[in-house]
Coordinates of all heavy atoms in Angstrom, one line a residue:
M263 N 118.2 59.4 -73.7 CA 118.2 60.1 -72.4 C 119.0 59.2 -71.4 O 118.6 59.1 -70.3 CB 116.8 60.3 -71.9 CG 116.8 61.4 -70.8 SD 115.1 61.8 -70.2 CE 114.8 60.4 -69.2
L264 N 120.2 58.7 -71.9 CA 121.0 57.9 -71.0 C 121.9 58.8 -70.2 O 122.8 59.5 -70.8 CB 121.8 56.9 -71.9 CG 122.8 56.0 -71.1 CD1 122.1 55.1 -70.2 CD2 123.7 55.2 -72.1
V265 N 121.8 58.7 -68.9 CA 122.7 59.5 -68.0 C 123.2 58.5 -67.0 O 122.5 58.0 -66.2 CB 121.9 60.6 -67.3 CG1 122.8 61.3 -66.3 CG2 121.3 61.6 -68.3
T266 N 124.5 58.2 -67.1 CA 125.1 57.2 -66.2 C 126.0 58.0 -65.2 O 126.4 59.1 -65.4 CB 126.0 56.2 -67.0 OG1 127.0 57.0 -67.7 CG2 125.2 55.4 -68.0
L267 N 126.2 57.3 -64.1 CA 127.0 57.9 -63.0 C 128.3 57.0 -62.8 O 128.2 55.8 -62.8 CB 126.2 57.9 -61.7 CG 124.9 58.7 -61.8 CD1 124.2 58.6 -60.4 CD2 125.1 60.2 -62.1
R268 N 129.4 57.7 -62.5 CA 130.6 56.9 -62.2 C 130.7 56.6 -60.7 O 131.3 55.6 -60.3 CB 131.9 57.7 -62.6 CG 131.9 57.9 -64.1 CD 132.1 56.6 -64.9 NE 131.9 56.8 -66.3 CZ 131.2 56.0 -67.1 NH1 130.5 55.0 -66.5 NH2 131.0 56.2 -68.4
D269 N 130.2 57.5 -59.9 CA 130.3 57.3 -58.4 C 129.1 56.5 -57.9 O 128.0 56.6 -58.4 CB 130.4 58.7 -57.7 CG 131.7 59.4 -58.1 OD1 132.7 58.7 -58.4 OD2 131.6 60.6 -58.2
V270 N 129.3 55.8 -56.8 CA 128.2 55.1 -56.1 C 127.4 56.0 -55.3 O 127.9 56.8 -54.5 CB 128.8 54.0 -55.2 CG1 127.7 53.3 -54.4 CG2 129.6 53.0 -56.0
P271 N 126.0 56.0 -55.5 CA 125.2 56.9 -54.7 C 125.3 56.6 -53.3 O 125.4 55.4 -52.8 CB 123.8 56.6 -55.3 CG 124.0 55.9 -56.6 CD 125.3 55.2 -56.5
A272 N 125.2 57.6 -52.4 CA 125.5 57.5 -51.0 C 124.4 56.6 -50.3 O 124.7 55.9 -49.3 CB 125.5 58.9 -50.4
D273 N 123.1 56.7 -50.8 CA 122.0 56.0 -50.2 C 121.8 54.5 -50.7 O 120.9 53.8 -50.3 CB 120.7 56.7 -50.3 CG 120.3 56.8 -51.8 OD1 121.2 56.8 -52.7 OD2 119.1 57.0 -52.0
A274 N 122.7 54.1 -51.7 CA 122.5 52.8 -52.3 C 123.5 51.8 -51.5 O 124.7 51.9 -51.6 CB 122.9 52.8 -53.8
E275 N 122.9 50.8 -50.8 CA 123.6 49.9 -50.0 C 124.1 48.7 -50.7 O 125.1 48.1 -50.3 CB 122.8 49.6 -48.7 CG 122.4 50.8 -47.9 CD 121.5 50.3 -46.8 OE1 121.9 49.5 -46.0 OE2 120.3 50.8 -46.7
I276 N 123.3 48.1 -51.6 CA 123.6 46.8 -52.2 C 123.9 47.0 -53.7 O 123.5 48.0 -54.3 CB 122.5 45.8 -52.0 CG1 121.2 46.3 -52.6 CG2 122.3 45.5 -50.5 CD1 120.1 45.3 -52.6
P277 N 124.7 46.1 -54.3 CA 125.1 46.3 -55.7 C 124.0 46.5 -56.7 O 124.2 47.4 -57.5 CB 125.8 44.9 -56.0 CG 126.3 44.5 -54.7 CD 125.3 44.9 -53.7
S278 N 122.9 45.8 -56.6 CA 121.8 46.0 -57.6 C 121.3 47.4 -57.5 O 121.0 48.0 -58.5 CB 120.7 45.0 -57.3 OG 120.2 45.0 -56.0
H279 N 121.1 47.9 -56.3 CA 120.6 49.3 -56.2 C 121.6 50.3 -56.7 O 121.2 51.2 -57.5 CB 120.3 49.6 -54.7 CG 119.7 50.9 -54.4 ND1 119.6 51.4 -53.1 CD2 119.1 51.8 -55.2 CE1 119.0 52.6 -53.2 NE2 118.7 52.9 -54.4
Q280 N 122.8 50.1 -56.4 CA 123.9 51.0 -56.9 C 123.9 51.0 -58.5 O 124.0 52.1 -59.1 CB 125.2 50.6 -56.4 CG 125.3 50.7 -54.9 CD 126.6 50.0 -54.3 OE1 127.3 49.3 -55.0 NE2 126.7 50.0 -53.0
L281 N 123.9 49.8 -59.0 CA 124.0 49.7 -60.5 C 122.8 50.2 -61.2 O 122.9 50.8 -62.3 CB 124.3 48.2 -60.9 CG 125.7 47.7 -60.4 CD1 125.8 46.2 -60.6 CD2 126.8 48.4 -61.1
L282 N 121.6 50.0 -60.7 CA 120.4 50.5 -61.4 C 120.4 52.1 -61.4 O 120.0 52.7 -62.4 CB 119.2 50.0 -60.7 CG 118.8 48.5 -61.0 CD1 117.6 48.1 -60.2 CD2 118.6 48.3 -62.5
V283 N 120.9 52.7 -60.3 CA 121.0 54.1 -60.3 C 122.1 54.6 -61.2 O 121.9 55.5 -62.0 CB 121.2 54.7 -58.9 CG1 121.4 56.2 -58.9 CG2 120.0 54.3 -58.0
R284 N 123.3 54.0 -61.1 CA 124.4 54.4 -61.9 C 124.2 54.2 -63.4 O 124.6 55.0 -64.2 CB 125.7 53.6 -61.5 CG 126.3 54.0 -60.1 CD 127.5 53.3 -59.8 NE 128.5 53.5 -60.9 CZ 129.3 52.5 -61.4 NH1 129.3 51.3 -60.8 NH2 130.1 52.8 -62.4
G285 N 123.4 53.1 -63.7 CA 123.2 52.8 -65.1 C 122.1 53.6 -65.7 O 121.7 53.3 -66.9
G286 N 121.4 54.5 -65.0 CA 120.4 55.3 -65.6 C 119.0 54.5 -65.7 O 118.2 54.9 -66.6
Y287 N 118.8 53.6 -64.8 CA 117.5 52.8 -64.9 C 116.5 53.4 -63.9 O 115.3 53.4 -64.3 CB 117.8 51.4 -64.5 CG 118.5 50.6 -65.6 CD1 119.9 50.5 -65.6 CD2 117.8 49.9 -66.6 CE1 120.5 49.7 -66.6 CE2 118.4 49.2 -67.6 CZ 119.7 49.1 -67.6 OH 120.4 48.4 -68.6
I288 N 116.9 53.8 -62.8 CA 115.9 54.4 -61.8 C 116.5 55.6 -61.2 O 117.7 55.9 -61.2 CB 115.6 53.4 -60.7 CG1 116.8 53.0 -59.9 CG2 114.9 52.1 -61.3 CD1 116.6 52.1 -58.7
R289 N 115.6 56.5 -60.6 CA 116.0 57.6 -59.9 C 115.1 57.8 -58.7 O 113.9 57.6 -58.8 CB 115.9 58.9 -60.7 CG 117.1 59.2 -61.6 CD 118.4 59.4 -60.9 NE 119.5 59.7 -61.8 CZ 120.3 58.9 -62.4 NH1 120.1 57.6 -62.2 NH2 121.3 59.3 -63.2
R290 N 115.7 58.1 -57.5 CA 114.9 58.3 -56.3 C 114.2 59.6 -56.3 O 114.7 60.6 -56.6 CB 115.9 58.2 -55.1 CG 115.2 58.3 -53.7 CD 116.3 58.2 -52.6 NE 115.8 58.3 -51.3 CZ 115.5 59.4 -50.6 NH1 115.7 60.6 -51.2 NH2 115.0 59.3 -49.4
I291 N 112.9 59.5 -56.0 CA 112.0 60.7 -55.9 C 111.8 61.1 -54.4 O 111.7 62.3 -54.1 CB 110.7 60.5 -56.6 CG1 110.9 60.1 -58.1 CG2 109.8 61.7 -56.5 CD1 111.7 61.2 -58.9
G292 N 111.7 60.1 -53.6 CA 111.4 60.3 -52.2 C 111.8 59.0 -51.5 O 112.2 58.0 -52.1
S293 N 111.6 58.9 -50.2 CA 112.0 57.7 -49.4 C 111.1 56.5 -49.9 O 109.9 56.5 -49.7 CB 111.7 58.0 -47.9 OG 112.0 56.8 -47.2
G294 N 111.8 55.5 -50.5 CA 111.1 54.4 -50.9 C 110.3 54.6 -52.2 O 109.4 53.7 -52.6
I295 N 110.5 55.7 -52.9 CA 109.7 56.0 -54.1 C 110.7 56.3 -55.2 O 111.6 57.2 -55.1 CB 108.8 57.3 -53.9 CG1 107.9 57.1 -52.6 CG2 108.0 57.6 -55.1 CD1 107.2 58.3 -52.2
Y296 N 110.5 55.5 -56.3 CA 111.5 55.6 -57.5 C 110.7 55.8 -58.8 O 109.6 55.3 -59.0 CB 112.3 54.3 -57.5 CG 113.4 54.3 -56.4 CD1 113.0 53.8 -55.2 CD2 114.7 54.7 -56.6 CE1 114.0 53.8 -54.1 CE2 115.6 54.7 -55.6 CZ 115.2 54.2 -54.4 OH 116.2 54.2 -53.4

C-alpha cells in the first residue's frame, strides 16, 4: 500500500514532515492528528 507523492504538501514546513508525507509514512487526519 505504498503511495508516494512527488510534490511537497502545502502544510509541511520542515524537511522531515515533507518527506514522511511524501514517502507514504504518515497522513494528516486533522490539525495535529496523524
